[in-house]
């Protein structure tokens, strides 16, 4: 009965019927508490955490996933990949990348030490660990972890290979290697289209980001159109915000300031709780640039400050932070605030070196 309820809840979550799934999972959790069934409780808590992530409530989701881990008494990482990987992501997003690295490396060691380790599972933990290393500023380690996976990439199935190329694209974006990001992004799309599974929208979105960084505005626009076409319906608030930020950046590059401003503001409204500070900072940077270019200096100044402040909170995004510092520094210099401008430009150099 319990397994059936968990399956039902999973299907309801997949259909975005979150309220109904919540009722089913809470009933299962009550029964688990009454029976002392920690395994069922752990799964129910993970399901409730998944609902929270879909609703953009990352702080609440982190609490629920931590509870799921504790109630499950650190379950087998091969059997509970989603629990460990999502928990690591939430820890990292919450500003505790070191704890995410620790969790993932422990999982990888446990999987590798099994009698017959599954290479795909080992690869998935390595790939996820690369994100956490990048978020903690250890970019060399992130590259090293992925290099180990690349050596055996042809032996992996398309789904795992897609995750690998996604990670490589993201890492090269974050460290300012635009040409490499575009190259890996092209491989990502090739694999994802061949695989035919979920995640195609995210792949197009990431590739659009890489092409915007490389200045290929037209192709980025095509990828964004495909990202929206293949997105889940309805999109969660955070996922919609991610797409709006890239659409705002693309509109800015095409010279459509009004559309860029509209989409950036819409993204900020969706991000509301500051659970994704990097994306929030990117949206504010679009707004700052619009006001800067239209001569609204006071609003531009405030938006630049918001962009820099948000991006400082996001681990693993040194290139984006350096870009915000640099643009703000140039703005301040044009306004005659030379000392403040120099401070921002020096910070841009420091942030760039971190990558």
């Amino acid at each position: 009965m319990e397994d059936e309820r968990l399956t039902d809840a999973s299907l309801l979550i997949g259909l975005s019927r979150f309220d109904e799934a919540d009722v089913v999972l809470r009933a299962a959790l009550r029964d688990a508490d009454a029976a002392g069934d920690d395994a069922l409780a752990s799964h129910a808590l993970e399901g409730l955490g998944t609902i929270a992530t879909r609703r953009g409530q990352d702080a609440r989701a982190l609490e629920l996933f931590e509870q799921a881990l504790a109630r499950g008494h650190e379950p087998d990482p091969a059997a509970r990949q989603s629990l460990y990987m999502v928990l690591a992501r939430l820890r990292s997003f919450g500003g505790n990348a070191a704890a995410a690295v620790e969790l993932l490396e422990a999982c990888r060691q446990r999987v590798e030490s099994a009698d017959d380790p599954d290479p795909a599972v080992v690869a998935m933990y390595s790939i996820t660990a690369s994100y956490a290393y990048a978020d903690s500023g250890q970019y060399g380690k992130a590259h090293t972890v992925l290099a180990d996976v690349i050596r055996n990439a042809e032996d992996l199935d398309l789904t795992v290979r897609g995750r690998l190329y996604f990670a490589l694209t993201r890492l090269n974006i974050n460290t300012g290697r635009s040409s490499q990001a575009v190259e890996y992004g092209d491989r990502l799309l090739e694999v994802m289209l061949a695989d035919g599974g979920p995640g195609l929208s995210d792949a197009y979105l990431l590739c659009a980001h890489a092409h915007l960084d490389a200045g290929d505005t037209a192709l980025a626009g095509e990828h964004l159109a495909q990202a929206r076409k293949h997105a889940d319906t309805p999109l969660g608030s955070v996922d919609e915000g991610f797409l709006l930020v890239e659409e705002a950046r693309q509109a800015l590059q095409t010279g459509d300031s009004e559309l860029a401003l509209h989409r950036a503001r819409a993204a900020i409204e969706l991000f509301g709780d500051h659970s994704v500070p990097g994306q929030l900072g990117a949206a504010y940077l679009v707004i700052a640039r619009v006001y800067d270019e239209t001569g609204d200096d006071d609003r531009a100044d405030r938006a630049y400050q918001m962009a820099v402040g948000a991006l400082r909170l996001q681990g693993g995004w040194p290139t984006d932070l350096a870009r915000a510092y640099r643009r703000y520094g140039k703005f301040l210099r044009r306004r005659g605030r030379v000392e403040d401008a120099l401070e921002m430009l020096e910070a841009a150099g420091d942030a760039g070196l971190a990558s």
Side-chain angles (χ1 to χ4, degrees):
M1 179 62 177
E2 291 81 9
D3 289 344
E4 291 179 3
R5 285 186 292 182
L6 294 172
T7 301
D8 290 344
S10 179
L11 291 172
L12 289 167
I13 292 171
L15 294 170
S16 299
R17 292 161 61 179
F18 301 137
D19 290 343
E20 295 171 68
D22 187 277
V23 170
V24 173
L25 289 167
R26 289 189 185 280
L29 181 58
R30 285 194 297 271
D31 290 349
D33 288 339
D37 188 341
D38 285 339
L40 174 59
S42 177
H43 282 285
L45 287 163
E46 181 183 350
L48 291 168
T50 300
I51 293 172
T53 62
R54 298 293 180 85
R55 287 173 165 165
Q57 301 166 345
D58 280 3
R60 176 58 180 155
L62 176 58
E63 294 177 6
L64 290 164
F65 272 89
E66 293 285 9
Q67 292 172 29
L69 180 65
R71 288 296 295 271
H73 306 290
E74 298 186 354
D76 178 9
R80 299 286 298 277
Q81 291 181 60
S82 178
L83 169 63
Y84 285 105
M85 291 179 184
V86 176
L87 175 54
R89 178 180 65 82
L90 290 167
R91 283 182 177 181
S92 196
F93 276 14
N96 195 357
V101 168
E102 182 180 1
L103 178 69
L104 292 166
E105 287 293 9
C107 288
R108 188 166 64 153
Q109 290 173 15
R110 288 173 65 186
V111 172
E112 287 180 330
S113 64
D115 291 337
D116 186 21
D118 185 338
V121 176
V122 174
M124 285 302 299
Y125 276 111
S126 297
I127 292 165
T128 310
S130 75
Y131 289 111
Y133 277 119
D135 287 345
S136 66
Q138 300 181 67
Y139 306 104
K141 185 65 176 177
H143 276 289
T144 299
V145 169
L146 291 177
D148 291 340
V149 183
I150 291 171
R151 279 192 285 271
N152 302 306
E154 295 305 315
D155 297 329
L156 301 171
D157 63 30
L158 288 175
T159 299
V160 180
R161 245 185 291 168
R163 298 286 181 87
L164 170 61
Y165 290 134
F166 193 100
L168 286 163
T169 306
R170 181 77 263 178
L171 181 58
N172 281 287
I173 285 173
N174 287 347
T175 53
R177 298 174 173 88
S178 296
S179 60
Q180 292 94 326
V182 167
E183 179 183 345
Y184 281 120
D186 289 344
R187 294 189 196 179
L188 166 65
L189 276 182
E190 182 181 348
V191 168
M192 294 299 293
L193 288 167
D195 187 26
L200 188 55
S201 176
D202 289 340
Y204 273 117
L205 184 61
L206 189 66
C207 288
H209 187 123
H211 281 285
L212 286 172
D213 284 355
D216 193 347
T217 309
L219 185 53
E222 294 175 14
H223 285 335
L224 287 171
Q226 290 296 320
R228 193 167 281 284
K229 176 182 176 181
H230 292 283
D232 293 334
T233 304
L235 268 177
S237 59
V238 172
D239 289 333
E240 175 68 20
F242 286 176
L243 187 49
L244 283 167
V245 167
E246 299 307 322
E247 289 175 337
R249 293 180 65 217
Q250 200 264 346
L252 186 65
Q253 287 192 12
T254 61
D256 192 339
S257 297
E258 184 176 346
L259 182 60
L261 196 60
H262 172 74
R263 285 179 168 165
R265 283 173 171 167
I268 289 168
E269 184 175 345
L270 289 171
F271 292 146
D273 64 355
H274 291 67
S275 60
V276 282
Q279 293 287 343
L280 192 64
Y284 274 117
L285 187 57
V286 169
I287 291 174
R289 290 184 60 191
V290 170
Y291 286 140
D292 190 350
E293 292 171 7
T294 56
D296 193 337
D297 287 354
D298 289 341
R299 286 182 174 176
D301 196 346
R302 287 194 295 271
Y304 276 125
Q305 290 182 44
M306 294 296 291
V308 167
L311 285 163
R312 279 173 175 164
L313 298 175
Q314 181 68 67
W317 287 34
T319 301
D320 295 83
L321 179 57
R323 184 181 297 122
Y325 278 134
R326 193 174 298 111
R327 289 193 177 278
Y328 190 26
K330 291 179 179 178
F331 167 81
L332 292 170
R333 187 168 57 193
R334 287 195 300 272
R335 296 193 72 187
R337 294 167 56 183
V338 178
E339 290 187 7
D340 292 337
L342 287 174
E343 181 181 345
M344 289 297 105
L345 293 172
E346 286 178 5
D350 291 341
L353 289 173
S355 66

